[in-house]
Amino acid sequence: MVTPKEHIEEIRKNKFSIGKDPNPLIEDLHQAVKNLSVELYTKDVHFLMELIQNAEDNLYSKGVKPSLEFIITSKDITATGAPATLLIFNNEKGFSPKNIESVCSVGRSTKKGNRSSGYIGEKGIGFKSVFLVTTQPYIFSNGYQIRFNEKPCPQCGLGYIVPEWIEEKPTLQDIKKIYGGGVDLLPTTTIVLPLKPDKVTPVKLQLSNFHPEVLLFLAKIRHLSECSYYMWKQKFPVRLENVVERRKDVEEWVVTLAFPHQDRLNRGMSSSGVYAFLPTEMVTNFPFIIQADFVLASSRETILMDDKWNRGILKCVPTAFVDSFKTLILGSDQAPVSTLANMFKFIPIRSSPYEKLNYVREKIKEKLLEENIIPIETYKKQKHFCKSHEVGRLLPEFWNVLNDAQAEGIQLDNLSYGKRKILSSALDMSQYDGILEFLGVEHVKARWYAKCIQSSNFVDRLSEKLYLKLLLFIATNWDSFFGESNMTDIPLLKYLAVIYANFLYHSFSKNYISSFEVDALCESMPIVDKYGNVNESRNKVLVPARVSNWAKLMVSNPWVNQNYVEMGEVYLNRSTYAGQSTDHQKLIEFMTDHLGASDIPDLYPPNAGFSAADTRLTKENAFLFLRWIKNQNSKLGGIPQRFLECIKNGSWLKVTVNGWMPPSKSFLIESSLGKTLESCSSLVDIPLVDETFYGSRIHHYKKELQTVGVMLSYEEACEFIGKELMHRAENYNLSRNRVILMLEFIKCQRERVLPLDKFVNSIKKGKWLKTSLGLRSPKGSVLYDEEWKIASQISAIRFIDRTYFGKEIYNFKEELMLLGVIVGFSRNYQVVIDHLKLPSNFASLNAEAFLLLMECVKFSSASVELVNSIKTASCLKTNMGFKVPGDCFLSDPVWGCILEVFGGLPVIDKKFFGERIFSYKGELKQIGVVVDFEEAIKEFVGQFKQKASDDSFSQQHVKSFLSCHRLLKGTEYKFPADLLATVRSEKWLLTRIGGYSVPRDCILDGVSWKSISSITCLPFIDDSDNCYGTEIHEYKEELKSFGVVTELKDRVKFVLKYLNFPSDPSSIAPESVFSFLECIRLLLKGAVSPHDEAFRKRLSTNWLKTHDGYRSPDQCVLFDSKWESAKWVHAKECVIHDTDNLFASKFYVLEDIYDKKILPFFSLKMEVRTKPSVDDYVNLWNEWESSVEQLSYDKCHKFWLFMLHHFTLHTEKKLSERFLKLPATSGNNDIFLLEKKDVFIPDNLHLKRLFEMEKVFVWYPQNLVPSSRNDLSDLYRKIGARSVSECICTEYPSLPNVVELKQIDAANVCNVKVLVKLILGFLACSSLKMEPNKRHEAVKGLLNLSFFEIKDSINGKQNGSLGESKFNVFTQMNWHGENAGLVKYATYFSEAISEGVLMENHDHVALLSELIRLAFLLKFNEEAIDFLMDSKNLQIFCEDDDFLSSVFGSTSIYVTIYLFYYF
């Protein structure tokens, strides 16, 4: 371990490059340090504050009482020439190596990030502030003896932070002489500051003015002078919106208010009123000090007012002040009111020079005005407090009268009249005027004095001297105060009502009248109230206040408005009437028995509240209250609701925390459970009824306490704790410690088998648990463990924040489970699914992450959302890297070889995922992976075709493919037809003749091919070493299955294509010729003639040996003995075939005469025609025209099918000129040959049905497909037949002369805009390809369609002639508007529109009509029509859009088309 001196040398060498090359950043560091010291600290005092702060943050040994001492001496112990030296002594543990390195740096404080550990410093510049008063500070600590210099170091050019080791000037002996005592008695750390000449006086002044308040809020340095403070400390959870980086580890604000006693009460008006552990320079004008962990300005003079952290603290100050003030004022039930007045001086009535603090002041005022904090005068032991607006002040002269009256023995039980209460005399003094004005307390009006004098019976009870003093008070203030009041109404005579009461009392006591008669008389007896008024009607009567319990409890009658009358004091005066003396006690008893005057606890209250219910009751009054409740419970009517609610919600019951609370928020729990709840006070303040205050007697009133809302069950208390915690959580985030305490509480209750449900249910839904996604409710949150590791990689599950809670959270697994937290994975896939968040890069994940995804897919039954999210992620590791599932293949152990033939397919990495991947075939398929043989083959087919087309089929590909095919043989995986077709049709096999060939064009060489090979150049598969090698022969069966020729019997097609006779025919062996002729035979057996011209040319060489040498086949004859009896004819008289059997009478058909083997010879060498020509068929038809009238179906059918198949432009002209007749048919299917002009094509079904029995329509073969029928119709038309529709003329009636028209809304028939759009698309995109301007002109007539309705039908006339016959046909021309006629309606509607639009393009009417008819049936629905246009490849162009936009709505064109329907 290095010594302190060696450590300093290392710093100088390694950090400041002393002895090394100069550091180019040295000058920048020097300037940074200089700026930091000069700019941030503007006053000399700050170096003292920083040193005190450092001392507070330092560590101290156990048992050491922290101390900080300052000594200033004129001795120059540093030999620097300083006029004075300041020494600072601190008994801390001393500088560590890290502390030394920190002080040799800029901004590297060892206290950063430790606010929660009690450190109050944060800037990392504290020590450097000493440079404001010295140029060379010295540090002596733990063996370190170093000096710093303001001037740049000669070796490195840097000042302020470069340490120098000091051996002398000063030494420890020099310092000891100043401090006194031995060296061993010196504090661990000494700082020596030789002062600058101009700083000596300011430093001495600051030290002499040093106030003990500086140390007020320090936790370690606690030596204070004679002064005392009321200290109030309150914690507030840090709100999320106020968190700042430098305080991110702090969970609670601790706001401390210091209220000074005695002489220091006014120090806050002139000295610092804001502390951040040490005082700032902020004079607040508040009579108390605010201390908190404020963020300071750089100068440390002020706090940063706009900093959100500080704003959050300042918002807590009003609450802290009001809570502390209430505790001071209301906290002591024994202290007399007179001792409380001084406390009101803590109220900040003076405005502050800081705007933000004025906001605090206004908030304090606002809160105080809502609190019952003003003491009132009751002349009772029970203290009462009211809101400031409910209290009034008295004139000082009247206070003198009241005080004198009390001195004479006159009881002043109640000074409250009406709603206005009287301020306590202890506070109603001129020295409190400013405070009372701030709180809004005003003087009472004159009317109050009249009420007071009247009710107090001053006229009767005051001595003469005091009576004169009262009159003097009234007279003195008459003009200014009482002149306009009701003072003149004060009665001065005895009341007759009182005499009447005495009369009844004596009459009853002497038995002059009966009890029944007394009761009846008392019902109407008038009562004198406390104000001297005579009341004849009342609801209830209260006994006089002076002899009552109710006045002890409530001071004044709160139910005047409910007509509760308080008997006046006059009933208590001893009096004599008619010689009879009356004792006031007996008179009150008489009034109670017969008049119904009552007192607590017998008094029955109205259904109304009263202010005393919100008063902190003494013990006696509290029990009086409870006796009252007990008494009312026993009555038949029960307790009035509003009265009961007032008692429930009033703060009159003393509890163990916060003084007094409403019964509805208080608890009385059995003692052992109560102690358990008291242990939870660190969680929330639990208001247990204070049994120490009330004693065991309180348990006698459990039923009454329960009546007024006190909770007696442990479950209710637990629920209260939970709700209170959740209420806090709504406004503040619960600290870590509080959450741990909650869990400990649950654990404790669980272990003691105490009821937990209400507490758990009250907190499980609140958002208070810190998770990876912020504050969330426990329900659904997850406690992380290793089982969740994989899940965390693919989801954003809200895990409980382990960093925040630490390992301690794992001690509460069962408690967390009770709250709904998920503990342990336990196949909880739904959580993963609900929070799925796939990473952008799966390369960093292991196989388990993907396998977990597959488990989720299995669990969710293939949730569409889950599957789609996986489909788009590159989550599968393959032999080609990570790919999306849709690109991947799962290699099967059996058929997987097919995926390896070419490579290039992303096959799932089996080594990476292991065998488990095969257990998820179904899930992989759902996300798009190819797992089935059939799907893999489809991809393989594409690859196969691509390789073949690119000529990139390598030898290895071929062998791999053939090997795979062999492996699959005998398995359930068969090559499908499309693959086989591809393999057989693509060129992928190399042959010896060069290039790739399809299998069927390839031969696998063998011995059997030797005989034919001498006259051919055959495509043998290249089995040379440079290609497939001899190994290819091992795959003979596989190649054969793909079409490769392996047997000689399959040689025919190759002989034709690859025939190659040698130049020397003598080398051709007979075996080769026979083998070749065998090929020809096989070819002929297949009914195929070798007509290939190249083949013929090759055959024309001399290769057949004859008696005349070698000749070509066409020069050779193979003589047959049958030829001796044959007839010789010319070749022109022959045909080889007569397929239709129509020419037996015209030609010799050789296939009927000769062996089929010789037929090719006639064709090739004798030029005999293979079959009859078109001209032959034309001649045949002309022959039939002149010789027959009817044809058989067979002949006609064969003839016209031939014509249909051989019809060309040349044929068309020939048939049109030479055919005079066409086949016609009637209803009996006979076929007649008629003149072309008399035969018609039936294009009108209506007319076809009319004339189908006549011989007027052309004949069609039976079962002819529509397309062929149309082709035959075109053929007839081109030859000369006419369409029947061309022969018809339609006549329409003149509409206006026939019927009466009623126009209807066009929208009920069709959408004209949609109709026009459809027609424009047809005109633009059909074969018409009409120009924009022409198609716009064509549809203009449709822009204003009109529709009319009639009642009767209209018939049209059609006339024409068919051949020799003329006819007239009458047709109904309008249609019923019901569904039955809808198709007809649509048909005629579409025809009418189409004919109108296409007047010059009549050939396209039928196509457009069909399109409009379909649109009509679709009701011209715009969306449906758009789809119809898309399906027909119709569209409109920008010119059409402009046209539609411009014309619709325009009235420039008016065209009416009449379309009718009747109803």
Side-chain angles (χ1 to χ4, degrees), residues 478-718:
W478 187 266
D479 292 335
S480 61
F481 201 62
F482 297 122
E484 302 298 327
S485 71
N486 59 343
M487 187 65 74
T488 55
D489 298 335
I490 299 175
L492 302 179
L493 300 176
K494 306 292 183 184
Y495 299 104
L496 292 177
V498 178
I499 297 174
Y500 182 55
N502 279 270
F503 170 74
L504 288 180
Y505 163 69
H506 287 290
S507 298
F508 176 72
S509 64
K510 296 182 181 295
N511 296 319
Y512 295 151
I513 54 177
S514 67
S515 175
F516 176 79
E517 290 171 323
V518 169
D519 291 343
L521 291 171
C522 284
E523 284 182 6
S524 58
M525 182 174 68
I527 296 296
V528 178
D529 64 15
K530 66 172 288 187
Y531 305 111
N533 300 319
V534 178
N535 292 268
E536 297 183 5
S537 63
R538 65 269 177 180
N539 194 353
K540 292 289 181 182
V541 177
L542 304 179
V543 299
R546 185 152 50 93
V547 295
S548 71
N549 288 324
W550 66 261
K552 296 176 184 176
L553 193 63
M554 296 183 287
V555 181
S556 61
N557 177 11
W559 298 315
V560 174
N561 293 335
Q562 284 72 35
N563 207 14
Y564 275 54
V565 177
E566 174 190 349
M567 294 172 63
E569 290 285 324
V570 294
Y571 290 99
L572 299 179
N573 296 334
R574 187 174 184 84
S575 56
T576 301
Y577 299 102
Q580 298 294 321
S581 178
T582 306
D583 180 82
H584 75 275
Q585 291 183 346
K586 291 184 177 181
L587 179 61
I588 294 302
E589 290 175 3
F590 171 78
M591 300 287 277
T592 299
D593 293 339
H594 299 282
L595 182 65
S598 57
D599 190 14
I600 294 174
D602 300 315
L603 173 66
Y604 186 78
N607 190 23
F610 59 106
S611 61
D614 203 28
T615 300
R616 300 185 174 196
L617 299 182
T618 61
K619 180 168 67 175
E620 292 76 12
N621 280 343
F623 283 118
L624 176 61
F625 222 154
L626 292 172
R627 289 202 311 275
W628 190 12
I629 298 300
K630 184 176 184 177
N631 201 1
Q632 299 309 311
N633 270 335
S634 64
K635 293 184 178 179
L636 187 62
I639 303 174
Q641 185 63 33
R642 289 179 61 190
F643 172 79
L644 183 60
E645 289 300 319
C646 180
I647 296 174
K648 283 183 176 182
N649 298 318
S651 298
W652 60 269
L653 188 63
K654 195 171 190 307
V655 293
T656 54
V657 294
N658 297 330
W660 278 260
M661 290 287 286
S664 60
K665 295 182 180 179
S666 304
F667 299 88
L668 182 64
I669 309 296
E670 183 260 322
S671 61
S672 62
L673 294 177
K675 291 179 180 178
T676 301
L677 288 177
E678 283 183 349
S679 67
C680 300
S681 59
S682 54
L683 261 181
V684 296
D685 293 331
I686 305 171
L688 296 172
V689 174
D690 192 342
E691 297 183 50
T692 303
F693 179 74
Y694 292 112
S696 60
R697 182 182 172 191
I698 194 70
H699 288 278
H700 299 161
Y701 294 96
K702 281 187 177 181
K703 183 178 180 181
E704 289 70 36
L705 288 169
Q706 191 171 24
T707 299
V708 297
V710 174
M711 291 168 275
L712 306 180
S713 74
Y714 185 77
E715 293 93 327
E716 288 176 312
C718 290

Side-chain angles (χ1 to χ4, degrees), residues 1240-1245 1248 1257 1277 1282-1286:
F1240 300 90
I1241 299 169
D1243 64 341
N1244 187 309
L1245 294 178
K1248 181 183 178 183
F1257 295 119
R1277 187 178 288 106
R1282 293 178 296 164
S1283 298
V1284 68
S1285 59
E1286 298 175 12

Side-chain angles (χ1 to χ4, degrees), residues 981-1022:
T982 299
V983 173
R984 290 168 179 163
S985 62
E986 295 291 341
K987 296 179 179 182
W988 57 279
L989 283 169
L990 286 168
T991 66
R992 295 176 191 170
I993 62 175
Y996 288 94
S997 296
V998 297
R1000 65 176 178 272
D1001 290 343
C1002 299
I1003 303 170
L1004 188 63
D1005 192 10
V1007 177
S1008 59
W1009 289 90
K1010 186 176 181 180
S1011 62
I1012 195 68
S1013 61
S1014 63
I1015 61 172
T1016 57
C1017 183
L1018 296 174
F1020 291 112
I1021 293 176
D1022 190 346

Side-chain angles (χ1 to χ4, degrees), residues 247-277:
R247 300 287 194 275
K248 64 182 179 181
D249 59 327
V250 181
E251 297 177 346
E252 291 180 324
W253 288 309
V254 179
V255 177
T256 304
L257 303 181
F259 299 96
H261 283 193
Q262 304 162 357
D263 296 338
R264 295 195 172 269
L265 183 61
N266 294 317
R267 282 205 72 251
M269 308 300 183
S270 58
S271 61
S272 176
V274 178
Y275 279 55
F277 303 101

Side-chain angles (χ1 to χ4, degrees), residues 800-830:
I800 295 175
D801 193 332
R802 293 175 294 158
T803 305
Y804 181 71
F805 289 108
K807 294 181 179 179
E808 191 174 1
I809 195 71
Y810 291 92
N811 298 332
F812 304 100
K813 289 184 178 181
E814 292 190 32
E815 291 70 35
L816 290 168
M817 290 172 66
L818 285 173
L819 293 170
V821 173
I822 300 169
V823 178
F825 185 70
S826 302
R827 299 174 61 84
N828 204 327
Y829 301 115
Q830 191 60 49

Side-chain angles (χ1 to χ4, degrees), residues 1143-1182:
F1143 293 90
S1145 61
K1146 295 181 68 65
F1147 299 108
Y1148 294 102
V1149 181
L1150 299 185
E1151 68 176 346
D1152 297 333
I1153 302 171
Y1154 291 99
D1155 190 296
K1156 291 183 180 180
K1157 296 179 182 179
I1158 198 66
L1159 293 178
F1161 175 77
F1162 294 121
S1163 176
L1164 292 171
K1165 295 302 177 184
M1166 304 190 71
E1167 297 183 352
V1168 176
R1169 289 181 297 166
T1170 304
K1171 56 186 177 181
S1173 66
V1174 173
D1175 285 337
D1176 294 328
Y1177 276 84
V1178 171
N1179 292 332
L1180 180 61
W1181 184 261
N1182 289 150

Side-chain angles (χ1 to χ4, degrees), residues 1174-1192:
V1174 173
D1175 285 337
D1176 294 328
Y1177 276 84
V1178 171
N1179 292 332
L1180 180 61
W1181 184 261
N1182 289 150
E1183 185 180 321
W1184 288 345
E1185 286 179 335
S1186 60
S1187 61
V1188 298
E1189 291 184 0
Q1190 287 185 260
L1191 281 179
S1192 68

